[in-house]
Amino acid sequence: MQHIDNNQLYKDTLYRFDYVSKFMDFGEADINAIQGIADDIRPLVPAVVDAVYVKLFQYDVTKKFFMPKNQGYNGALPASIEELTPDHPQIAFRKNFLTRYLNKILAGPYDEKLVLYLDWVAKIHTDTPEKASRINVDYIHINALLGFVETTLVGGVMSLGLERSRETAAIAAFNKLLWIQNDYFAKYYIKPQQVQQVQQKWALNDVTFVPFIVGVLAGALGVWKGLQTK
């Protein structure tokens, strides 16, 4: 049985990747499956990016995150959320970022630099001291978005008319890769100390809840006995 240092999972990006990727059986075969169809998928990237922003613009709770100035963007900002359109310069800036991200995971190489890039992509969506902007996207939206991106990519793969074995391998590989990306987001949203605090709170509630239930039952029994004697 292999020992995994739980604390190291939150301190060492490469250590975390090594554990999660091996747990998911993400390896050379998956990388080859992705890169083997990269040239076929790459022309579909603009359509994937547009679909993502159409989805993000369907809800005010996700669209609002594009109102503040994004780090690295120096253009004009919309005056209201209604004025923020898919062709606004800041959205073009964000679409370019997503395009680069998708092309990067298609092209590789899958080395230490790429792993650190996946970690960085997660970090910049949270409110950390290392970045200039204070944009902090709630994890529920990140999780939903990654699910949508995966579904869209899977649709793209299935549209290529590949042999069944290649198609299945590519879909499985993208699924694992995006779950690894999702894990890096979770790293910044779900802290071990927060989990421990919740566990301690529930443990405390259990301790106080039991006497409460006993008291209620005892009181009910007393009332019942009183009614029986009348």
Side-chain angles (χ1 to χ4, degrees):
M1 181 170 61
Q2 182 181 354
H3 171 68
I4 300 296
D5 187 333
N6 191 66
N7 291 328
Q8 196 69 7
L9 291 173
Y10 292 87
K11 296 177 181 178
D12 189 330
T13 299
L14 299 178
Y15 184 85
R16 189 181 183 104
F17 176 82
D18 184 68
Y19 164 68
V20 175
S21 62
K22 286 180 179 177
F23 195 104
M24 293 184 182
D25 292 327
F26 179 83
E28 197 67 32
D30 298 292
I31 295 169
N32 291 337
I34 291 172
Q35 296 186 330
I37 65 166
D39 289 340
D40 298 313
I41 286 290
R42 197 169 287 112
L44 304 179
V45 167
V48 172
V49 172
D50 286 341
V52 165
Y53 277 85
V54 167
K55 177 61 68 173
L56 290 169
F57 272 40
Q58 287 179 1
Y59 306 97
D60 57 356
V61 73
T62 49
K63 188 178 180 181
K64 69 178 184 180
F65 290 109
F66 300 99
M67 288 295 294
K69 181 179 178 295
N70 283 254
Q71 184 174 344
Y73 173 71
N74 298 313
L77 294 174
S80 66
I81 197 169
E82 290 75 23
E83 291 185 17
L84 184 62
T85 60
D87 58 352
H88 189 278
Q90 177 154 250
I91 299 304
F93 176 83
R94 294 300 305 168
K95 283 185 174 182
N96 185 52
F97 176 88
L98 180 55
T99 299
R100 293 199 310 271
Y101 170 81
L102 293 173
N103 283 326
K104 197 170 186 68
I105 64 175
L106 287 173
Y110 280 75
D111 54 10
E112 177 179 326
K113 188 175 180 180
L114 181 62
V115 173
L116 295 176
Y117 175 72
L118 297 179
D119 182 73
W120 175 78
V121 167
K123 182 187 292 186
I124 62 170
H125 287 82
T126 60
D127 190 3
T128 61
E130 291 89 349
K131 68 175 189 177
S133 71
R134 295 277 68 88
I135 297 174
N136 188 51
V137 184
D138 298 336
Y139 180 65
I140 184 174
H141 311 308
I142 294 293
N143 184 58
L145 175 61
L146 286 173
F148 179 78
V149 170
E150 180 181 357
T151 301
T152 307
L153 280 175
V154 166
V157 172
M158 295 181 70
S159 73
L160 298 177
L162 302 172
E163 294 179 358
R164 184 64 179 272
S165 59
R166 288 186 67 201
E167 180 183 88
T168 302
I171 290 173
F174 278 122
N175 176 66
K176 295 176 189 178
L177 178 59
L178 288 174
W179 270 103
I180 291 171
Q181 177 66 84
N182 197 7
D183 174 70
Y184 277 116
F185 278 104
K187 170 187 170 185
Y188 290 100
Y189 285 97
I190 306 170
K191 304 296 178 66
Q193 58 269 29
Q194 293 173 335
V195 174
Q196 186 177 14
Q197 289 171 0
V198 171
Q199 290 173 339
Q200 290 173 344
K201 181 179 179 181
W202 276 105
L204 179 61
N205 287 342
D206 288 344
V207 170
T208 57
F209 186 66
V210 171
F212 170 75
I213 289 296
V214 172
V216 169
L217 291 174
L221 182 60
V223 171
W224 179 79
K225 284 186 174 181
L227 290 173
Q228 293 299 311
T229 58
K230 288 184 179 181

